[in-house]
Amino acid sequence: MRRPAIVIAVAATCSMWTGLALAGDLSAEQSATAQWMIEQARGWAEQACGGKWVISELLAEDFQGTSPKGSRYGKPTGEPAYDPNTLWSTECRLDDAEVRFFGPDVAVVYGAESKTVPLADSKHERRCLVWTDTWLRRNGKWQIIAVQDNRIECPVK
């Protein structure tokens, strides 16, 4: 029952504050928060290359994500156990991120990231995602409440 109330509150806040989302309208606090959010997005992208596990603190308890294949998932229950045999991706990077605020307690980060993944035939493939993360500040703490990921063709360099 809590999820619909949150969705309604986010939608109402977004519709009331849409005009304040332009980069030129950011306060000093919003600018600092936006930079912090972008660094968190960078950390999340780098996890696929064996980077530091960052999402436990970033994702709200009632978090809901949608994967590139359309399946929904909740917040992971813990950090995965270290396995030296894990075939990590390489060249993980945040390619782009833009933060827009929709009021004092709601922000959306639109981003793109890429990585190179090992395939079963010992070849490698570059994979690219575009995504949208919805952040909500509760009790003074910014956390991600929802994400939507979409795999795309990687741009030609």
Side-chain angles (χ1 to χ4, degrees), residues 5 12 23 28-29 38 40 45 52 56 74-75 88 95 104 121-122 126 132-133 137 154:
E29 179 185 356
I38 290 169
Q40 303 316 302
K52 180 183 172 197
S56 293
K75 180 179 178 174
W88 292 101
D95 296 318
D121 61 2
S122 298
R126 189 92 191 130
T132 304
D133 293 354
R137 181 168 49 184
C154 292

Side-chain angles (χ1 to χ4, degrees), residues 138-152:
R138 290 184 188 141
N139 301 318
K141 183 177 183 179
W142 284 100
Q143 288 190 305
I144 300 171
I145 59 169
V147 301
Q148 175 79 45
D149 295 323
N150 187 32
R151 187 168 169 197
I152 61 167

Side-chain angles (χ1 to χ4, degrees), residues 1 6 8 11-12 18-20 33 38-40 73 86 90 101 108 110 117-118 120 122 128-129 132 143-144:
M1 196 77 173
I6 291 170
I8 292 167
T18 302
L20 298 178
T33 300
I38 290 169
E39 287 309 308
Q40 303 316 302
Y73 61 96
T86 298
T90 59
F101 288 89
V108 176
Y110 306 95
V117 299
S122 298
C128 296
L129 285 178
T132 304
Q143 288 190 305
I144 300 171

Side-chain angles (χ1 to χ4, degrees), residues 89-128:
S89 299
T90 59
E91 300 176 348
C92 298
R93 67 175 172 255
L94 179 66
D95 296 318
D96 185 41
E98 176 187 344
V99 179
R100 293 180 57 124
F101 288 89
F102 297 91
D105 298 320
V106 177
V108 176
V109 183
Y110 306 95
E113 65 186 69
S114 57
K115 63 184 177 183
T116 300
V117 299
L119 301 176
D121 61 2
S122 298
K123 293 183 181 179
H124 291 82
E125 176 182 74
R126 189 92 191 130
R127 293 195 181 157
C128 296

